[in-house]
Amino acid sequence: MESASYSALLNNVILLLGLGVIYDTLGLHGFRNKRLRDLFSGVLVGGIAIAVMATPWELEKGIFFDTRWILLSLCGLFFGVRTTLIAVTMAVAFRVYQGGGGAVVGSIVIISTASIGLIWRYASQFVNVPLDWRYLYLFGLIVQLDVAVCMFLMPADMHQVLFTKVIPPIVLIFPFVTMVMGLILHRQKDRRAAERELRDSQAMLNRERGLLRGLIDAIPDLVFVKNTDRNYISCNKAFEQFTDSVEAEVLTKNDKELFKPEVAELVREKDLEVMSSGSAQAYECEAYYPDGHKVILDVYKAPFYGLDGTLHGVMGISRDITEKRAADELIWKQANYDALTGLPNRNMMRDRMAQEMKKATRNGCNIALMFLDLDRFKEVNDTLGHDMGDTLLVEAAKRIQGAVRDSDTVARQGGDEFTVILSDLDDMACVERIAANILTRLAEPFDLSGDKAYITGSIGITFFPEDADTVDQLVKNADLAMYAAKNQGRNRFAYFTPSMHQAALERIHLAKDLRAACEEKQFSLSYQPIIDLHSGLVCKAEALIRWHHPERGFVSPLDFIPVAEETGRILEIGDWVFSQAIRQVREWRTTFHPEFQVSINTSPLQFMEESNKPEAWLRALEKQDLPGGALTVEITEGLLMESSAEISEKLAVFRQGGVQIALDDFGTGYSSLAYLRRFDIDYLKIDKAFVQNLTADSDDMALCEAIIVMAHKLGLYVVAEGIETQEQCELLASVGCDYGQGYYFARPMPAEEFSEYWQRRVEYVD
């Protein structure tokens, strides 16, 4: 009997100690579904409890005990509510099944000890108390005291035996057993938690590795890793595609097998530099796809180290920047080269000029800058169209390039303007040779799809460092010299002089003063009589603008009219002259003669400006109750040479309104007789250059007579300007000139004096 009790006690202890082993062995802690895990765990603990109760030990005859309460209290402490309820239900059911007088007490012990375990579990979690040996011993002591209290529920005749032989060992020994069992389960729990965390961390790491690998494979750039022997140990999908190999094949190849020799050598050098220096490097290189397609790669390489600081190799990423490089080059070309001619544009010219200036300063050389403008290019655009104009510009650019040295720079400044940089000048005479060569080539006819076009060029030349030491000032100087060449007759070149700069400054100040003159009404009109050479009467007057500057005094129209045209103020001034003149002619038609006429000089800009309409002047004449014949509009041959449709239409509007047209300074320009047939002209005004030296046998006399005869044949009247002597007047009258104008008759005068002059002239003729 005693041997059987020890055997039963040993069996109980083995079952208790084996709980954790059995739990781990069955793998119940590995269940992902918590409810399923709690169910099987409860069945396991309940089964062990039944096994314990089925093998009790006998302390005294008829008194049997087992360790079920230790098991169930620890179940409540470590496994939670669901597992404990299942185990308690199974244990209570088995105890009731066993029957006997102690069934009720046994069930109470089962329920109370399990409840203590549950209460202790959640209380320790709430106050965050660690389950070390002291708290587990205290827990075991409380559980055993609960069992001892429950013993009072046993029959009274058993109390003596219970309190002398059962309760003392329970209270003294079983708390230690509970503590040992608790420590075992607690350590197993900690181990399982650590294992679970490790599994979760590993799973997360695997997921992250998978995500990272997927991300790297999704990158369109080439990603690769090499070891210290420069063998590949990893690469992404883009690298596989670039080398036409899968990763497994890449890992067995070296750079010489993957790339062309020159590329492989560069890769090797950069790998060694990165690993030896320990610093990242970025560089660009050319590489080739397996099909031979060349690309440009932007490569970034960096060394990588282990946690202990050991160098493991080099990692890198390469990006195909072929399209970006092409786009950058296109943007750079568009920013620095002219799209039409392919020549450097203004920006590139300035940059090259600045570089040449630095070079010339170091070497003590000179530089010449030419500014070239095509003469009469607008005629080609207007007559043949802008497409032909573009074709001419392209051909002109080629001719200019062909006329300079290979070391010189030809640039398109914009429109029909070009610049030429002549560097490293030792012989200054070569500048004139190059300029003359350019002009000669430009003067040759241009074949534009079967049409012949003729243009010339005007060139301004300035020197560095003699004339200026900045690009801006040199360009300005060359521009000024170019305008000087145009004013001298075009198809020529002119050198910049300091007086040009001074004249430019003067124009700037004059332009500023012109604005004030318009606002402060500093202008006035003078009128010069036009005499009928047959009757000697004053029948017309030319209105001439005068500017009396408060500080400068009298400013010649020859000085301020060009500035007014450049600044656009000629439109405002022209309207003012017109309004003053028609008021005056209205008065003189009343006092002098009903057909008296006033001539007004006009600027080509007044006809070229789209917003400037002749209808406005015709309406103003109508408001003054004046016919169009009260006004003569004087134009220059230069306006006829523009010959645009808009100019023709405006001249036609004037003629339809009765306004007469006079062609001023005839014979000094380049217009052909075809213009006289094309446009409705009423008067030719012979320029004073043909009159001032007029004698009976002079060439000028022959020219004047020819002009008069031609004009009369075309139905035009002739006005001779600049008559200063009686002889000139008589000679012109003798060959049929209609009207005369000049100092011989009278100088320009204010309106008040003109009235007195008219009266004297009438009296003189009478």
Side-chain angles (χ1 to χ4, degrees):
M1 184 71 174
E2 190 173 317
S3 173
S5 297
Y6 283 123
S7 176
L9 179 61
L10 180 61
N11 183 51
N12 272 236
V13 172
I14 290 172
L15 287 172
L16 287 174
L17 292 174
L19 173 62
V21 176
I22 296 170
Y23 187 76
D24 281 346
T25 302
L26 293 178
L28 298 180
H29 61 278
F31 276 75
R32 294 292 180 185
N33 190 310
K34 190 174 187 302
R35 292 186 178 184
L36 191 62
R37 183 177 69 240
D38 290 346
L39 173 63
F40 283 107
S41 298
V43 172
L44 173 63
V45 176
I48 295 174
I50 291 173
V52 169
M53 288 188 290
T55 57
W57 72 92
E58 188 176 16
L59 295 176
E60 292 289 337
K61 186 173 178 60
I63 300 175
F64 296 92
F65 282 95
D66 53 61
T67 58
R68 81 189 79 158
W69 63 79
I70 296 176
L71 175 66
L72 294 170
S73 65
L74 290 172
C75 179
L77 181 61
F78 287 101
F79 296 110
V81 176
R82 270 197 295 262
T83 300
T84 303
L85 285 176
I86 295 170
V88 166
T89 300
M90 291 177 62
V92 170
F94 184 77
R95 184 66 189 90
V96 172
Y97 170 78
Q98 285 180 322
V104 175
V105 176
S107 298
I108 293 174
V109 169
I110 292 172
I111 295 171
S112 64
T113 54
S115 299
I116 292 173
L118 289 171
I119 293 171
W120 195 275
R121 172 188 177 90
Y122 292 108
S124 63
Q125 290 178 356
F126 181 75
V127 298
N128 196 23
V129 176
L131 292 177
D132 58 10
W133 67 269
R134 290 170 297 184
Y135 286 98
L136 287 172
Y137 176 79
L138 179 60
F139 169 74
L141 182 61
I142 292 174
V143 169
Q144 309 315 320
L145 290 175
D146 173 72
V147 173
V149 171
C150 291
M151 294 300 175
F152 285 102
L153 300 176
M154 297 293 287
D157 57 350
M158 298 179 65
H159 286 181
Q160 183 178 359
V161 176
L162 292 172
F163 285 102
T164 58
K165 293 189 176 182
V166 177
I167 292 177
I170 289 175
V171 175
L172 294 175
I173 298 174
F174 281 15
F176 288 102
V177 176
T178 305
M179 179 189 71
V180 172
M181 282 296 301
L183 288 173
I184 292 173
L185 291 174
H186 183 56
R187 290 192 177 183
Q188 286 183 333
K189 181 181 178 182
D190 288 346
R191 178 178 57 79
R192 287 195 297 272
E195 290 175 352
R196 187 163 55 250
E197 289 181 2
L198 181 60
R199 286 196 304 273
D200 292 344
S201 298
Q202 188 65 38
M204 183 178 292
L205 181 60
N206 290 336
R207 286 196 302 272
E208 290 177 351
R209 285 177 176 172
L211 289 172
L212 181 59
R213 179 67 194 204
L215 177 62
I216 292 176
D217 282 339
I219 294 175
D221 300 331
L222 282 60
V223 181
F224 57 89
V225 182
K226 297 180 180 179
N227 59 21
T228 52
D229 294 329
R230 296 182 50 257
N231 296 320
Y232 289 94
I233 58 177
S234 182
C235 67
N236 69 342
K237 294 293 184 183
F239 194 90
E240 292 178 357
Q241 294 174 0
F242 185 77
T243 57
D244 195 22
S245 306
V246 297
E247 185 176 22
E249 294 174 338
V250 172
L251 303 186
T252 63
K253 297 180 179 180
N254 56 36
D255 290 326
K256 291 183 178 179
E257 296 173 294
L258 293 173
F259 306 114
K260 289 192 174 184
E262 61 272 18
V263 178
E265 180 61 25
L266 177 62
V267 171
R268 185 190 73 84
E269 292 177 2
K270 294 300 181 181
D271 286 348
L272 295 177
E273 289 178 10
V274 168
M275 288 189 288
S276 62
S277 66
S279 301
Q281 281 195 17
Y283 62 94
E284 294 181 3
C285 71
E286 293 181 350
Y288 300 84
Y289 277 99
D291 61 0
H293 175 59
K294 185 174 75 171
V295 295
I296 301 174
L297 296 179
D298 183 15
V299 185
Y300 179 84
K301 289 182 178 179
F304 76 96
Y305 301 89
L307 296 177
D308 59 354
T310 303
L311 178 66
H312 285 333
V314 61
M315 62 179 67
I317 184 168
S318 301
R319 173 168 296 178
D320 184 350
I321 60 170
T322 308
E323 292 184 1
K324 180 180 181 299
R325 175 61 61 80
D328 290 343
E329 290 179 356
L330 177 61
I331 292 172
W332 182 84
K333 186 174 182 179
Q334 290 175 340
N336 293 281
Y337 283 86
D338 176 55
L340 178 64
T341 63
L343 295 176
N345 63 10
R346 184 183 307 165
N347 293 332
M348 177 61 79
M349 183 280 294
R350 293 174 61 85
D351 181 69
R352 290 194 181 179
M353 188 67 188
Q355 296 301 320
E356 291 294 342
M357 288 165 63
K358 292 179 181 178
K359 181 180 175 182
T361 301
R362 289 194 304 269
N363 300 336
C365 298
N366 293 316
I367 301 174
L369 177 64
M370 293 182 176
F371 199 107
L372 184 150
D373 182 84
L374 301 181
D375 302 325
R376 300 186 181 86
F377 171 74
K378 190 174 183 301
E379 291 182 34
V380 177
N381 265 349
D382 292 341
T383 57
L384 301 181
H386 289 279
D387 289 341
M388 290 298 99
D390 289 345
T391 302
L392 188 148
L393 286 173
V394 173
E395 179 61 27
K398 292 179 181 178
R399 294 187 184 186
I400 296 170
Q401 281 186 301
V404 302
R405 303 169 301 176
D406 292 339
S407 60
D408 299 329
T409 297
V410 179
R412 186 184 178 197
Q413 195 75 359
D416 59 343
E417 296 177 336
F418 297 85
T419 51
V420 181
I421 302 173
L422 306 178
S423 57
D424 297 327
L425 293 177
D426 295 326
D427 179 13
M428 303 301 287
C430 76
V431 176
E432 290 193 12
R433 290 197 300 271
I434 293 173
N437 194 15
I438 292 174
L439 294 176
T440 299
R441 296 201 179 192
L442 289 177
E444 296 172 0
F446 288 81
D447 186 0
L448 304 178
S449 299
D451 290 318
K452 295 291 185 181
Y454 296 88
I455 64 168
T456 55
S458 297
I459 301 176
I461 305 172
T462 188
F463 292 96
F464 171 85
E466 289 86 350
D467 296 332
D469 57 2
T470 66
V471 176
D472 286 338
Q473 193 57 54
L474 286 166
V475 172
K476 290 179 182 178
N477 291 351
D479 191 26
L480 291 172
M482 182 271 292
Y483 276 108
K486 279 189 176 295
N487 292 334
Q488 292 169 14
R490 305 179 184 181
N491 192 27
R492 66 191 64 224
F493 59 86
Y495 292 105
F496 169 79
T497 62
S499 61
M500 293 179 184
H501 179 64
Q502 186 61 38
L505 292 178
E506 181 65 22
R507 284 199 299 273
I508 293 173
H509 293 307
L510 205 57
K512 181 180 177 182
D513 291 345
L514 263 178
R515 179 175 181 178
C518 293
E519 294 173 351
E520 299 173 6
K521 296 180 174 52
Q522 297 175 5
F523 296 117
S524 64
L525 286 186
S526 291
Y527 299 89
Q528 187 171 32
I530 298 176
I531 308 299
D532 184 332
L533 295 183
H534 301 293
S535 66
L537 294 175
V538 180
C539 57
K540 304 174 185 292
E542 181 179 357
L544 301 170
I545 189 170
R546 295 294 181 258
W547 180 12
H548 299 277
H549 193 282
E551 296 178 0
R552 299 171 182 262
F554 175 76
V555 181
S556 171
L558 297 176
D559 294 331
F560 74 80
I561 291 298
V563 177
E565 290 178 329
E566 291 176 11
T567 60
R569 294 204 170 273
I570 193 65
L571 301 178
E572 180 182 355
I573 293 173
D575 288 340
W576 180 84
V577 170
F578 167 76
S579 63
Q580 296 295 313
I582 62 173
R583 279 197 292 267
Q584 189 61 57
V585 75
R586 184 174 182 274
E587 177 184 337
W588 286 341
R589 280 195 160 219
T590 302
T591 58
F592 294 167
H593 193 279
E595 294 184 1
F596 195 85
Q597 195 178 61
V598 171
S599 297
I600 297 176
N601 290 288
T602 58
S603 166
L605 191 64
Q606 291 174 269
F607 289 88
M608 296 176 189
E609 178 61 38
E610 184 178 356
S611 61
N612 203 50
K613 304 291 186 182
E615 290 85 353
W617 282 14
L618 296 177
R619 287 193 296 269
L621 285 169
E622 187 177 349
K623 287 182 180 180
Q624 294 287 341
D625 293 327
L626 288 172
L631 185 68
T632 298
V633 172
E634 296 193 8
I635 62 174
T636 62
E637 292 181 350
L639 177 66
L640 297 184
M641 292 171 62
E642 296 292 339
S643 65
S644 68
E646 185 177 2
I647 293 173
S648 299
E649 290 173 3
K650 289 183 177 181
L651 288 173
V653 170
F654 275 130
R655 293 292 288 118
Q656 291 167 8
V659 176
Q660 294 185 315
I661 307 298
L663 185 57
D664 198 12
D665 301 331
F666 183 78
T668 60
Y670 297 91
S671 62
S672 68
L673 297 180
Y675 289 118
L676 299 180
R677 297 170 55 194
R678 180 177 175 183
F679 297 97
D680 288 329
I681 306 296
D682 298 287
Y683 299 94
L684 289 184
K685 300 191 72 173
I686 300 175
D687 189 76
K688 62 182 179 181
F690 300 103
V691 176
Q692 61 187 1
N693 296 317
L694 190 65
T695 60
D697 299 325
S698 64
D699 293 337
D700 289 336
M701 184 63 196
L703 286 173
C704 287
E705 184 175 5
I707 292 172
I708 294 167
V709 172
M710 176 199 66
H712 287 168
K713 290 290 185 180
L714 294 174
L716 307 181
Y717 295 100
V718 180
V719 180
E721 295 182 296
I723 299 175
E724 297 183 356
T725 65
Q726 183 177 353
E727 181 185 8
Q728 294 168 354
C729 178
E730 292 174 351
L731 287 173
L732 289 167
S734 67
V735 292
C737 184
D738 302 294
Y739 302 97
Q741 178 182 354
Y743 289 171
Y744 171 68
F745 303 108
R747 292 176 178 271
M749 63 191 77
E752 300 81 10
E753 295 182 15
F754 190 92
S755 297
E756 297 176 1
Y757 174 82
W758 184 87
Q759 185 62 42
R760 292 198 305 271
R761 189 70 186 179
V762 170
E763 295 174 357
Y764 171 76
V765 172
D766 290 341

